Amino acid sequence: EAQVTQNPRYLITVTGKKLTVTCSQNMNHEYMSWYRQDPGLGLRQIYYSMNVEVTDKGDVPEGYKVSRKEKRNFPLILESPSPNQTSLYFCASSWGIANTGELFFGEGSRLTVL
Amino acid sequence: AQSVTQLGSHVSVSEGALVLLRCNYSSSVPPYLFWYVQYPNQGLQLLLKYTSAATLVKGINGFEAEFKKSETSFHLTKPSAHMSDAAEYFCAVIVSGGSYIPTFGRGTSLIVHP
């Protein structure tokens, strides 16, 4: 089954404790992206990757890191989480934005930073 | 620069009534336009998309949207609302020939009353 898988789905952590949210897709997609969703603000892009070893900042990259060492994986790293990073996070992927643009989303990771 | 405006953060309808969710875009070149739906506790999934073919686009679950260049609009409609349509709806735009990075609207929450 074609899917985008995120882990963990739910996480409660404390300020400053490094964490990684994993994202994996099995569709051989070139494009991958991370978004955060907050009430009243919709979806905001954190980072995106056009292909392996190519990443770029989105609209709200501060406090986050990403890497794209393999085509299927695109982990989101919070080196020192803070309470303002409490949010719902989505990973998404696409065949190639230039073709259809349709994004496939994971089910989301709800993060709470105390 | 591309942008999307969704009018109304919440829309409330009665079951069986017409659903109209508004989306206006800003783009200096022909856009690709999308509607995504997010059911509670799930990720986003594609509802329908416009990619410069027919201006009236039909999607899943009886939804459709019409691209109106003169009005820079891509409103989503459904003739008769069902309780299962209650969800968050996002409009998104990609500008052809540009970075192909999608821009999302802030979302409209559809509430369906019995």
Side-chain angles (χ1 to χ4, degrees):
Chain A
E1 180 188 354
Q3 59 186 1
V4 178
T5 304
Q6 298 178 223
N7 280 296
R9 293 287 314 279
Y10 302 91
L11 180 63
I12 300 174
T13 189
V14 296
T15 300
K17 186 176 182 181
K18 181 179 178 180
L19 67 91
T20 298
V21 185
T22 64
C23 175
S24 181
Q25 50 92 4
N26 62 0
M27 295 168 279
N28 201 35
H29 285 170
E30 292 182 345
Y31 178 89
M32 297 186 75
S33 181
W34 276 103
Y35 294 86
R36 60 178 290 174
Q37 183 179 17
D38 302 288
L41 298 178
L43 286 171
R44 293 181 293 169
Q45 190 176 47
I46 304 170
Y47 269 94
Y48 63 94
S49 170
M50 291 290 195
N51 214 325
V52 176
E53 301 292 1
V54 180
T55 63
D56 212 340
K57 296 178 181 178
D59 298 319
V60 289
E62 294 77 21
Y64 304 95
K65 285 176 57 177
V66 293
S67 67
R68 188 89 182 274
K69 293 184 171 59
E70 306 166 278
K71 199 170 189 178
R72 64 183 294 126
N73 296 323
F74 191 46
L76 179 69
I77 303 158
L78 285 72
E79 293 272 5
S80 183
S82 62
N84 65 12
Q85 292 178 298
T86 292
S87 186
L88 179 58
Y89 292 86
F90 287 101
C91 180
S93 69
S94 173
W95 282 111
I97 285 292
N99 294 329
T100 68
E102 176 183 353
L103 287 170
F104 293 81
F105 285 82
E107 293 195 328
S109 297
R110 186 169 292 281
L111 171 65
T112 302
V113 183
L114 301 175
Chain B
Q2 64 196 40
S3 67
V4 171
T5 302
Q6 291 185 240
L7 296 175
S9 58
H10 294 83
V11 170
S12 182
V13 300
S14 298
E15 192 173 19
L18 171 71
V19 175
L20 171 60
L21 304 182
R22 300 178 186 273
C23 173
N24 287 88
Y25 68 91
S26 173
S27 171
S28 58
V29 296
Y32 298 150
L33 293 159
F34 307 81
W35 276 100
Y36 288 86
V37 60
Q38 182 185 25
Y39 297 107
N41 299 314
Q42 294 185 27
L44 283 73
Q45 59 182 278
L46 184 70
L47 201 56
L48 50 81
K49 63 182 178 184
Y50 166 78
T51 55
S52 75
T55 56
L56 182 62
V57 181
K58 294 188 185 297
I60 61 173
N61 300 334
F63 283 93
E64 62 182 37
E66 186 172 9
F67 171 67
K68 291 187 176 181
K69 184 179 179 180
S70 61
E71 299 177 8
T72 61
S73 69
F74 191 57
H75 301 332
L76 182 69
T77 60
K78 182 174 180 178
S80 177
H82 192 274
M83 296 295 290
S84 61
D85 295 327
E88 189 86 14
Y89 292 81
F90 291 91
C91 184
V93 63
I94 290 178
V95 172
S96 59
S99 67
Y100 291 99
I101 306 301
T103 298
F104 283 85
R106 292 194 172 189
T108 298
S109 179
L110 177 64
I111 301 161
V112 183
H113 297 288

